[in-house]
Amino acid sequence: MRNDADQTPAFDMVLFGGTGDLVMRKLLPSLYQAHAAGLLNKDGRILGLGRKEWDREQYLAYVEEHSRKHIKECFTEADWQQFCDRIEYLRVDAGFPEHFPPLAEKLGEMVPGRSVVCYLSTAPEFFTPICENLAAVGLNHPNVRVVLEKPLGHDLASSNEINDAVAKFFDEHQLYRIDHYLGKESVQNLTAIRFGNALFEPLWRREWVHNVQITISEELGVEGRGGFYDHTGALRDMVQNHLLQLLCIVAMEPPASLEGNAIRDEKLKVLKALRSFDVQDVATKTVRGQYKAGAISGGGVPGYLEEAGIPPTSTTETFVSLKAEIDNWRWAGVPFFLRTGKRMPERLAEIVINFRDVPCPLFPSPVGQTANRLVIRLQPDESIRLYFLAKEPGDTMNLQPAYLNLDFNAMFKVRRADAYERLLLDVIRGRLGLFMRSDELVAAWRWVEPIMHAWEHSTTPPKQYTAGTWGPAASSALLSRDGIAWHEES
């Protein structure tokens, strides 16, 4: 067992919404995995907060029933019991200031080097009262860190309102706006591929890159969350955060260091360089879709309008594709195509870098085949494929596509931390690089807002696509106008 506990300071992990789904399914299992791997300091406590008048034994019984089953690997009864020894419970209702002095008493005096992590696994409307009540009892000292779970608002104004309110009580370096996608091992590898290998850097620019495609697709539908999803949609749920963060990592300049602000400074430059949309751009450079009944994995599934909790006249998008352009020296003229959707053929996240053809080809290219392509797959498996043309065996000089394949699971036979585990450890250690800064959030909302507003005022409904397909035909047409096709179509 690896033991890096000396790298992790003593901590108190305070989980607001401690009986909620996120805590049970993700946070406690992730903390268990870190504990079992020897990554948590022995002097680390986990304090679940909730409205129920429970004692510690009742809370542990609830954890046993609702969280233990979500642990996928490295489970032993001994580790589980040791992990449970870390857990305590306290009744705290975010709306009752009188509940916070007992919390401060429970945590005790500030100890140098010991971090207090307050994870706000609650609805956003509770962020401000929680932060205000924490500050009122002195729990905003420099050792306190606050994790804000998304969604951080539904538009720029509401996002600014939350950030401004929280900033009254905590400094920016104490705020960790979490996007679990940035904690994925594969996303971390994307940064390493870009900046750890001299092979790619000379080619990673407009002179050699023809276009970039970034896709996050899901087989699932709304899965019983219709009421939430219908007020959110794919643009807010996926593009404004996950897809834009991947675009930033692909497009940003090398940071001066791996320090948090150095990385975030470079991502912010990309967001600010994104060309803004006007009404005409939204009409010609974006596609919004909504799935109708179809089949996934051989089984029939209902359309979006037939899902529970969805109004029959809903125009909420379940699919988005768009053409983004970055107005800077490195990427001018290179289109970035972003795509996400529900009820698509497979669960997939990948980045495709299509390089330009050789300037003076000596050989005829195989009909319908594309070479000079780097495919970085982030999920469900993690791999890198470099496609190129090679001579086929025989006495001719005919070329055929070939590829080099790197499968990370096969290459590295070690345990892989999940996204929340890595991010929770980073918060405990005070590492900000994988968390969004407020100015990043503002820039991302500012870029997507013209699209949101145009769609909200449009009388044209979303384009229908059959569940189990790659989206509306208009999505393919979006690329074909530039003489390009999506990776799976070429």
Side-chain angles (χ1 to χ4, degrees):
M1 177 187 294
R2 181 183 173 190
N3 193 335
D4 293 330
D6 57 331
Q7 300 178 21
T8 307
F11 66 91
D12 289 298
M13 179 68 64
V14 183
L15 302 175
F16 285 86
T19 61
D21 186 60
L22 179 65
V23 170
M24 292 298 131
R25 286 191 307 109
K26 294 294 186 181
L27 303 187
L28 287 178
S30 295
L31 288 167
Y32 167 82
Q33 295 292 160
H35 166 86
L39 300 177
L40 294 184
N41 191 294
K42 292 180 180 179
D43 189 13
R45 294 189 300 174
I46 300 168
L47 182 57
L49 306 184
R51 297 175 178 176
K52 301 181 185 296
E53 294 191 16
W54 283 348
D55 57 23
R56 179 174 180 271
E57 286 67 32
Q58 288 172 300
Y59 184 63
L60 287 178
Y62 188 84
V63 169
E64 179 78 21
E65 179 181 358
H66 293 91
S67 186
R68 174 172 169 164
K69 61 187 177 184
H70 295 292
I71 297 172
K72 300 295 190 295
E73 58 183 32
C74 303
F75 182 86
T76 69
E77 195 65 41
D79 281 338
W80 176 249
Q81 292 307 317
Q82 291 173 2
F83 175 69
C84 288
D85 289 342
R86 296 178 180 269
I87 300 176
E88 300 180 40
Y89 178 79
L90 189 65
R91 180 175 180 244
V92 174
D93 189 318
F96 289 81
E98 61 270 24
H99 287 189
F100 283 74
L103 173 61
E105 183 180 350
K106 185 79 169 177
L107 294 174
E109 296 294 327
M110 182 181 73
V111 177
R114 185 181 186 90
S115 61
V116 176
V117 177
C118 295
Y119 198 117
L120 276 53
S121 177
T122 67
E125 58 262 31
F126 295 112
F127 290 175
T128 300
I130 289 174
C131 290
E132 182 176 5
N133 289 327
L134 286 171
V137 296
L139 286 176
N140 61 341
H141 57 73
N143 285 20
V144 177
R145 295 155 193 167
V146 176
V147 183
L148 302 176
E149 183 67 46
K150 75 165 196 160
L152 280 176
H154 59 273
D155 57 15
L156 179 59
S158 58
S159 176
N160 285 343
E161 184 178 351
I162 292 172
N163 281 307
D164 290 346
V166 171
K168 293 177 182 177
F169 311 106
F170 291 91
D171 293 333
E172 178 64 33
H173 71 270
Q174 295 176 277
L175 298 174
Y176 291 70
R177 298 170 188 86
I178 195 166
D179 180 345
H180 76 276
Y181 230 80
L182 294 183
K184 289 179 176 288
E185 183 78 36
S186 51
V187 177
Q188 298 303 293
N189 229 335
L190 176 59
T191 306
I193 291 164
R194 273 218 58 194
F195 302 123
N197 296 281
L199 173 67
F200 294 118
E201 176 58 26
L203 305 178
W204 214 269
R205 59 191 67 242
R206 60 185 174 85
E207 290 86 354
W208 295 107
V209 176
H210 185 274
N211 67 88
V212 178
Q213 301 174 17
I214 306 177
T215 296
I216 303 177
S217 64
E218 300 177 274
E219 287 183 303
L220 299 176
V222 295
E223 305 304 306
R225 298 165 67 239
F228 163 79
Y229 192 85
D230 200 59
H231 288 89
T232 305
L235 186 67
R236 289 181 175 93
D237 190 42
M238 298 296 290
V239 177
Q240 182 269 336
N241 41 65
H242 301 333
L243 279 168
L244 279 185
Q245 286 295 310
L246 292 180
L247 181 148
C248 287
I249 295 172
V250 171
M252 71 183 187
E253 296 298 319
S257 70
L258 294 179
E259 185 269 329
N261 278 326
I263 295 171
R264 298 189 296 182
D265 286 345
E266 297 304 331
K267 290 197 295 178
L268 179 63
K269 291 176 186 177
V270 175
L271 291 169
K272 288 185 172 181
L274 283 169
R275 187 180 302 175
S276 59
F277 288 85
D278 59 25
V279 175
Q280 182 60 29
D281 289 329
V282 175
T284 59
K285 297 179 181 179
T286 74
V287 176
R288 64 169 176 159
Q290 189 183 86
Y291 65 82
K292 59 183 179 180
I296 300 286
S297 302
V301 295
Y304 180 72
L305 298 181
E306 288 82 55
E307 298 274 17
I310 304 300
T313 58
S314 173
T315 59
T316 297
E317 76 283 353
T318 63
F319 174 94
V320 177
S321 64
L322 56 84
K323 177 182 178 180
E325 296 164 279
I326 302 174
D327 291 330
N328 65 17
W329 193 269
R330 183 182 289 265
W331 296 113
V334 178
F336 283 69
F337 294 99
L338 312 184
R339 175 177 59 168
T340 185
K342 289 187 173 295
R343 291 298 190 204
M344 296 178 76
E346 59 181 309
R347 174 177 172 264
L348 174 70
E350 71 177 11
I351 297 161
V352 180
I353 313 292
N354 286 307
F355 295 99
R356 297 186 183 279
D357 291 332
V358 293
C360 186
L362 297 176
F363 311 98
S365 297
V367 177
Q369 300 288 346
T370 303
N372 301 307
R373 171 179 292 177
L374 181 68
V375 179
I376 305 168
R377 179 163 288 196
L378 308 177
Q379 69 180 31
D381 56 312
E382 187 184 351
S383 65
I384 297 176
R385 282 191 176 187
L386 179 62
Y387 290 80
F388 56 95
L389 294 175
K391 177 186 174 300
E392 67 179 21
D395 59 357
T396 67
M397 288 300 293
N398 294 331
L399 304 186
Q400 291 295 329
Y403 60 83
L404 299 174
N405 185 47
L406 172 59
D407 183 327
F408 284 92
N409 288 327
M411 177 65 66
F412 301 106
K413 303 291 187 181
V414 295
R415 185 186 77 89
R416 306 170 80 77
D418 75 6
Y420 275 105
E421 179 185 340
R422 174 175 288 104
L423 294 172
L424 288 168
L425 287 172
D426 274 5
V427 180
I428 294 170
R429 292 166 176 163
R431 298 175 181 173
L432 283 158
L434 299 183
F435 299 86
M436 292 186 71
R437 204 166 56 193
S438 60
D439 51 4
E440 284 185 83
L441 199 61
V442 168
W445 276 120
R446 188 168 286 152
W447 187 72
V448 301
E449 271 210 330
I451 307 173
M452 290 164 43
H453 291 160
W455 287 354
E456 286 167 2
H457 294 94
S458 174
T459 58
T460 304
K463 299 184 183 302
Q464 298 288 295
Y465 65 99
T466 303
T469 67
W470 284 103
S475 178
S476 296
L478 176 68
L479 275 70
S480 67
R481 290 197 288 271
D482 288 302
I484 304 167
W486 289 109
H487 172 50
E488 76 279 352
E489 296 173 348
S490 59

